[in-house]
Amino acid sequence: MTKEELALEVIERLKKEYPLAQCTLDYDQAWKLLVSVRLAAQCTDARVNVVVEDLYAKYPDVAALAEAPVEEIEKIVRPCGLGKSKARDISACMKILRDQYQGKVPDDFNALLKFPGVGRKSANLIMGDVFGKPAIVTDTHCIRLVNRIGLVDGIREPKKVEMALWKIIPLEEGSDFCHRLVYHGRDVCTARTSPFCEKCCLKDICQKNGVESKK
């Protein structure tokens, strides 16, 4: 089975297993996802979803958050870790949105990369989820699982993983595929315990790279 064939089979099986997979960060406006992806660095999505409730209660729109003192933002987002840098980046992002984009998140990948604290992973997430454009989000779940399954060979650097996946994942499938990897990585192909290979929908086609017992 070629990597392209393996990719298509993995995609179809994960679709059946997680038909409603979606972004695990809560948001109802694009600028809120921009905030959440910055807060999610080295923090769980579940905690981010709780913290932003307080942030938006006090600063309900782009203009309000752009005007907020960085110190006040930091007090709220501190539970997400790296409070100073995250607060500084969020403040700067909101000012850019307000001053350059009339409060609207741009639907341009390269423009997103110019926002403080926004890397390829975050830009891809926004492009795929908000704008429905081709996207591959190489978060920790994605990198770990595509190596374990055998879709990439020992590649750990996020951009290199992304480039490798672009060659074998259909453009229209990338965003949802990565969301499904998050679900699968949390529920079955876990990192902190031995993966539950016996109940995995991919058990007969996964290479199980790095798994001690290949059941």
Side-chain angles (χ1 to χ4, degrees), residues 37-57:
V37 294
R38 182 64 188 97
L39 291 177
Q42 300 181 41
C43 180
T44 65
D45 290 358
R47 175 170 291 182
V48 171
N49 290 338
V50 172
V51 169
V52 293
E53 290 183 9
D54 292 336
L55 185 66
Y56 302 147

Side-chain angles (χ1 to χ4, degrees), residues 70 74 77 81-89:
V70 174
E74 182 188 346
V77 305
L82 305 174
K84 288 185 181 296
S85 61
K86 289 181 179 180
R88 183 176 62 246
D89 287 346

Side-chain angles (χ1 to χ4, degrees), residues 9-202:
E9 183 64 23
V10 170
I11 287 169
E12 289 308 309
R13 293 192 187 191
L14 291 180
K15 277 184 181 181
K16 294 178 181 178
E17 197 76 7
Y18 311 100
L20 301 177
Q22 57 189 354
C23 180
T24 51
L25 291 167
D26 295 337
Y27 71 97
D28 56 8
Q29 298 179 67
W31 69 270
K32 292 183 178 180
L33 183 57
L34 182 61
V35 170
S36 289
V37 294
R38 182 64 188 97
L39 291 177
Q42 300 181 41
C43 180
T44 65
D45 290 358
R47 175 170 291 182
V48 171
N49 290 338
V50 172
V51 169
V52 293
E53 290 183 9
D54 292 336
L55 185 66
Y56 302 147
K58 191 168 185 178
Y59 306 110
D61 53 40
V62 170
L65 197 49
E67 291 294 328
V70 174
E71 297 77 14
E72 294 302 312
I73 298 175
E74 182 188 346
K75 288 179 183 178
I76 298 174
V77 305
R78 189 175 293 140
C80 293
L82 305 174
K84 288 185 181 296
S85 61
K86 289 181 179 180
R88 183 176 62 246
D89 287 346
I90 289 170
S91 177
C93 284
M94 294 304 106
K95 286 180 170 65
I96 293 172
L97 281 183
R98 179 195 63 189
D99 299 340
Q100 299 182 29
Y101 295 101
Q102 295 76 50
K104 296 181 179 180
V105 176
D107 62 346
D108 179 90
F109 185 81
N110 291 320
L112 289 171
L113 290 180
K114 295 179 181 178
F115 281 75
V118 175
R120 296 187 66 86
K121 179 181 74 173
S122 298
N124 268 303
L125 180 63
I126 292 169
M127 293 298 289
D129 268 56
V130 175
F131 300 112
K133 295 190 176 182
I136 289 178
V137 181
T138 50
D139 62 8
T140 55
H141 288 292
C142 175
I143 294 170
R144 182 169 55 82
L145 266 63
V146 296
N147 274 282
R148 180 172 284 177
I149 294 167
L151 293 175
V152 303
D153 300 317
I155 307 174
R156 301 294 174 183
E157 200 276 311
K159 184 177 180 180
K160 290 182 179 179
V161 173
E162 179 191 336
M163 294 302 107
L165 291 177
W166 278 123
K167 297 177 182 178
I168 60 174
I169 303 293
L171 294 180
E172 69 277 8
E173 298 287 357
S175 182
D176 287 343
F177 170 67
C178 292
H179 287 326
R180 291 186 173 101
L181 288 179
V182 172
Y183 282 75
H184 195 61
R186 290 176 179 173
D187 296 345
V188 179
C189 200
T190 54
R192 295 184 180 180
T193 65
S194 296
F196 300 99
C197 296
E198 70 281 355
K199 67 174 184 179
C200 178
C201 63
L202 307 174

